[in-house]
Amino acid sequence: MKNIYNILLLAGVLLFSACSDFLNREPLTAPNNVSFLSDQAQLENYINNLYTSLPAFAQFGMAMRGAESNSDNIILESYNARMNGELKAFDGSSTWTGGYAKLRNVNYFFRYYAVPPELETAAVLSLKGEAYFLRAYWHFSLLTSFGDIPIMDKFWDEQATIEGLQIPASNRTDVAKFILQDLQTASELLFDRSKGKGLRICKEAAQIFAMRVALYEGTWEKYHKGTDFYKGADNSNFFFEQVMAFGDEVFKSDLTLNTTQTDKTAKTAGDAFGHLFNTKNMSDIKEAVFWKKYDEATGVFHVLGSLLSGGQVNESSAGGLSQALVDNYLNADGTFIDPTLPKFKDFNETFKGRDSRLTEVVMNSGSKFKSNGKPLNVEPYPILVGEDYSEADSAIIKRISPPFLKGSGNGKNITGYHIRLGIDTTWVTGKSETAHVLIRYAEALLSYAEAAEELGKCTDAVLDKTLRLLRERAGVTYVKPSTIDPHFPDFGYPLTPNMQEIRRERRSEFALQDYRLDDLMRWRAHPIFKNKRGKGAYFGKESVLYRSFDPLAKDNETTIDKVLVDENNWMDPLKEFLPNGYQFDPGRDYLLPIPPEELMLNKTLKQNPGKW
């Protein structure tokens, strides 16, 4: 009897320390429940606090700019555990508990919302719309991580007992439909972007996010159909139709891409794209549908500019951008590149005549790099003749500034490719104020095009208002998709020319913005990275990149001569770490494991596929 009592006591303790530790926490403020959320000022104060949980640049970290080490865009020496099939049973715990804690705080708003109908002004209703958006946002985060989940459509504190929390998971189709309904409701209540200049959640943000949700679920159900990750009815066409329906509404707005025509400060196509990531104020950039402002004077800042100019791609270890990402970008004339051509062994030639987004995303010769103003410059080091260098040679030496292949720690580069995207053009050495865009109009264009192609509706007219606009903004001649690129990644199933170019465009347009993992997961894309390792730039001893280092430096034997390369002299930084390539398990790793403590407390839940 005593043992039974102890077991029940332990279960009670776990209830309020594991599964539902969030139920014990006070909301973001500690209000009087009866009257706190009863007027506009109180609602706004509460919603503002909810904003703080949205993705943002961390004060002292890389945040989403370095997040794509969870994909094939960034290579780290401390490689991603999920990519290599090394997730453990508890690795989903923080995502699960954090997601439901945020939902709990949103549902507190709905539970204690007390504005009388006669005082529900447009401003009050828009704030209510923001809450619907945030509830949808955090449900989607949980959906992409875990699949089937319990829908938290109300405040659960009143049922905070073991019996009360036996809430079964809804199937992912129903979860996605619930999210879309919240976003539809949000879009009907919210002000449009013009009201808050993108600084608050707006109608268009809800519509574009709804397109993201519907596209994700539609492609998941199509490409995972028949696997352990989706055995239900195929509702993919329903969701693709939803993408287009929400998109048709977005197209009625006054949103536009940021181009050299709309951006008075953009002198080139590269500027027009780059300004979306290195600008402080996005109020007049309509493509920035929802963005966060930083202001050092109010204590809201980040140091991303310093980290990028110091060479970092991720705060956890040495890393670099992948050659595969570089190879994704087209030639400026709209043709495919052939990465096997000798010209691409030349670091500088790699960037010439290409899509302007490549040179905005990746540091290249001539790009201002460090805060002292010295640009990256890959140039052959002079060969010493006699005892001293000539004056001309000394001038060359002064301007050479290769990637940080030497050194140690987080600033060391292991592929030859540093991040340029979002580098602070004011060259502050500490606190930076460049804005963070959470939702862009460009996403609506690509979501629409992809859904249309999945439905067989991607006509020339659809491509003209989506793919063409993005390519031309980037300074790329638009060429109607008609052929298959023999060097495009093999997804394990055929792609149409349209779909190939839509997928290419997503990678080019959204590189280093934390989209890539979700794309790989929803497309069931493990064939493009499983049993493979990401590579870096060509580093043969005759290459301009190798020759840009001082041949007489005393540390060469322990630095550049130790750079790992493959049999063809392309940098192969994970050669010794992952001799067999990434060991992603397609029967397990497409979803995170539901935390064991949740399974113990909520007996209605079932673990995700795979051996956990």
Side-chain angles (χ1 to χ4, degrees):
M1 188 69 171
K2 182 178 180 181
N3 287 339
I4 293 174
Y5 173 79
N6 287 339
I7 290 171
L8 291 173
L9 178 62
L10 176 61
V13 171
L14 287 172
L15 170 66
F16 292 99
S17 63
C19 172
S20 302
D21 63 316
F22 66 89
L23 294 178
N24 266 342
R25 292 203 299 263
E26 289 295 322
L28 296 171
T29 57
N32 175 331
N33 295 344
V34 176
S35 61
F36 174 65
L37 297 175
S38 58
D39 64 36
Q40 180 179 334
Q42 293 167 343
L43 298 182
E44 187 167 351
N45 180 63
Y46 193 84
I47 293 292
N48 286 349
N49 278 314
L50 297 182
Y51 271 57
T52 61
S53 63
L54 290 169
F57 294 136
Q59 260 192 4
F60 300 105
M62 296 286 294
M64 75 292 301
R65 196 65 72 236
E68 289 186 350
S69 57
N70 60 12
S71 75
D72 53 352
N73 280 350
I74 290 178
I75 304 171
L76 294 185
E77 286 184 343
S78 61
Y79 57 82
N80 182 264
R82 186 175 184 180
M83 289 281 284
N84 200 43
E86 295 179 5
L87 287 179
K88 302 296 189 295
F90 288 92
D91 283 340
S93 294
S94 62
T95 303
W96 181 283
T97 56
Y100 278 106
K102 291 160 187 168
L103 283 174
R104 186 261 184 177
N105 287 330
V106 177
N107 279 317
Y108 181 97
F109 174 93
F110 290 112
R111 172 65 178 81
Y112 292 106
Y113 177 87
V115 180
E118 64 272 16
L119 297 181
E120 285 190 315
T121 63
V124 165
L125 292 175
S126 190
L127 288 167
K128 195 173 185 179
E130 293 181 32
Y132 276 106
F133 175 95
L134 291 166
R135 189 166 71 178
Y137 188 94
W138 293 116
H139 272 106
F140 183 61
S141 175
L142 289 164
L143 172 68
T144 59
S145 298
F146 299 102
D148 297 352
I149 57 168
I151 294 174
M152 188 186 255
D153 59 348
K154 60 183 178 181
F155 195 50
W156 282 356
D157 283 34
E158 287 88 350
Q159 59 193 72
T161 63
I162 291 178
E163 293 78 13
L165 289 173
Q166 300 304 301
I167 302 169
S170 297
N171 70 69
R172 59 177 306 127
T173 300
D174 289 340
V175 176
K177 288 180 177 179
F178 172 80
I179 295 170
L180 291 178
Q181 182 56 59
D182 264 4
L183 290 169
Q184 177 61 41
T185 301
S187 71
E188 293 168 359
L189 297 173
L190 288 162
F191 287 129
D192 61 31
R193 184 196 182 278
S194 63
K195 181 71 174 181
K197 298 292 186 180
L199 283 168
R200 297 202 71 89
I201 297 166
C202 60
K203 177 187 295 289
E204 298 90 338
Q207 293 167 338
I208 294 171
F209 192 71
M211 296 174 75
R212 183 189 303 185
V213 173
L215 183 65
Y216 189 98
E217 187 57 27
T219 48
W220 185 281
E221 295 191 15
K222 175 176 179 177
Y223 294 105
H224 288 273
K225 182 180 179 180
T227 73
D228 287 341
F229 292 100
Y230 192 72
K231 293 184 176 180
D234 184 356
N235 303 284
S236 57
N237 282 356
F238 165 80
F239 287 109
F240 296 142
E241 293 285 3
Q242 288 291 299
V243 176
M244 298 192 72
F246 277 104
D248 287 337
E249 292 302 310
V250 173
F251 290 145
K252 295 176 183 177
S253 71
D254 67 346
L255 299 181
T256 61
L257 293 177
N258 197 54
T259 67
T260 52
Q261 287 73 44
T262 63
D263 186 342
K264 296 178 181 179
T265 63
K267 297 180 181 179
T268 66
D271 290 343
F273 178 74
H275 286 175
L276 293 164
F277 309 96
N278 61 23
T279 302
K280 295 180 181 180
N281 191 330
M282 301 281 186
S283 297
D284 295 328
I285 297 180
K286 291 183 179 180
E287 182 174 346
V289 179
F290 179 39
W291 60 283
K292 179 174 180 177
K293 183 178 181 180
Y294 291 84
D295 181 3
E296 182 185 348
T298 61
V300 183
F301 63 89
H302 56 82
V303 294
L304 184 61
S306 293
L307 297 178
L308 292 177
S309 65
Q312 289 194 36
V313 300
N314 186 283
E315 61 264 25
S316 65
S317 80
L321 305 185
S322 69
Q323 185 66 46
L325 173 60
V326 173
D327 290 344
N328 185 73
Y329 292 88
L330 294 170
N331 290 313
D333 64 5
T335 59
F336 308 142
I337 73 158
D338 179 352
T340 67
L341 292 177
K343 67 172 283 188
F344 292 108
K345 293 182 177 180
D346 185 314
F347 181 89
N348 294 321
E349 290 296 319
T350 293
F351 295 94
K352 291 182 179 178
R354 301 283 295 278
D355 182 330
S356 67
R357 289 171 295 192
L358 172 59
T359 51
E360 292 298 319
V361 169
V362 185
M363 275 291 170
N364 54 98
S365 288
S367 300
K368 203 171 182 181
F369 194 9
K370 302 179 74 173
S371 57
N372 62 13
K374 189 172 185 179
L376 186 80
N377 184 39
V378 174
E379 186 175 353
Y381 214 92
I383 298 174
L384 181 63
V385 179
E387 295 184 2
D388 298 307
Y389 287 108
S390 68
E391 185 175 337
D393 286 343
S394 294
I396 293 174
I397 292 170
K398 287 182 180 179
R399 67 174 181 251
I400 292 176
S401 178
F404 299 167
L405 303 184
K406 293 187 175 185
S408 59
N410 302 348
K412 179 184 175 182
N413 190 276
I414 61 174
T415 66
Y417 299 121
H418 289 280
I419 297 174
R420 187 185 183 205
L421 188 74
I423 200 161
D424 192 335
T425 54
T426 60
W427 304 104
V428 297
T429 56
K431 299 174 183 178
S432 184
E433 299 173 325
T434 50
H436 170 224
V437 181
L438 287 87
I439 295 179
R440 285 200 287 132
Y441 179 56
E443 182 179 356
L445 303 188
L446 283 174
S447 294
Y448 194 89
E450 185 174 346
E453 180 62 16
E454 292 287 9
L455 290 167
K457 298 180 179 180
C458 193
T459 62
D460 288 351
V462 169
L463 290 173
D464 283 344
K465 67 179 182 180
T466 57
L467 189 66
R468 177 193 285 272
L469 293 182
L470 288 163
R471 294 242 164 121
E472 291 181 346
R473 186 265 289 280
V476 176
T477 301
Y478 176 71
V479 177
K480 180 183 175 182
S482 60
T483 58
I484 294 297
D485 179 356
H487 301 289
F488 198 72
D490 182 1
F491 284 81
Y493 48 81
L495 300 177
T496 64
N498 279 352
M499 190 60 76
Q500 169 189 276
E501 293 311 297
I502 290 166
R503 291 192 180 187
R504 183 200 305 278
E505 194 69 12
R506 282 192 69 89
R507 194 175 190 182
S508 295
E509 183 70 25
F510 299 137
L512 311 184
Q513 297 156 62
D514 206 14
Y515 284 76
R516 185 64 174 169
L517 175 65
D518 280 350
D519 284 347
L520 295 177
M521 296 299 102
R522 66 186 178 89
W523 290 331
R524 198 168 186 268
H526 66 270
I528 73 174
F529 60 84
K530 181 175 170 58
N531 299 323
K532 301 171 186 176
R533 297 186 300 271
K535 302 293 179 71
Y538 183 74
F539 203 62
K541 292 190 176 181
E542 83 289 359
S543 69
V544 66
L545 182 56
Y546 183 90
R547 292 170 59 206
S548 66
F549 292 90
D550 182 357
L552 302 179
K554 294 180 180 180
D555 65 350
N556 283 350
E557 289 185 1
T558 59
T559 55
I560 62 169
D561 289 338
K562 290 290 185 179
V563 170
L564 296 175
V565 296
D566 66 12
E567 64 277 9
N568 296 312
N569 290 322
W570 294 86
M571 295 173 73
D572 192 358
L574 299 182
K575 183 177 183 178
E576 295 178 354
F577 296 97
L578 300 175
N580 298 313
Y582 291 116
Q583 294 302 295
F584 181 91
D585 183 350
R588 189 189 76 153
D589 295 329
Y590 273 109
L591 292 173
L592 296 181
I594 296 175
E597 64 269 24
E598 304 298 332
L599 297 171
M600 181 175 68
L601 291 167
N602 184 350
K603 300 300 184 181
T604 69
L605 297 178
K606 295 181 180 180
Q607 184 56 279
N608 280 326
K611 295 180 180 180
W612 293 106

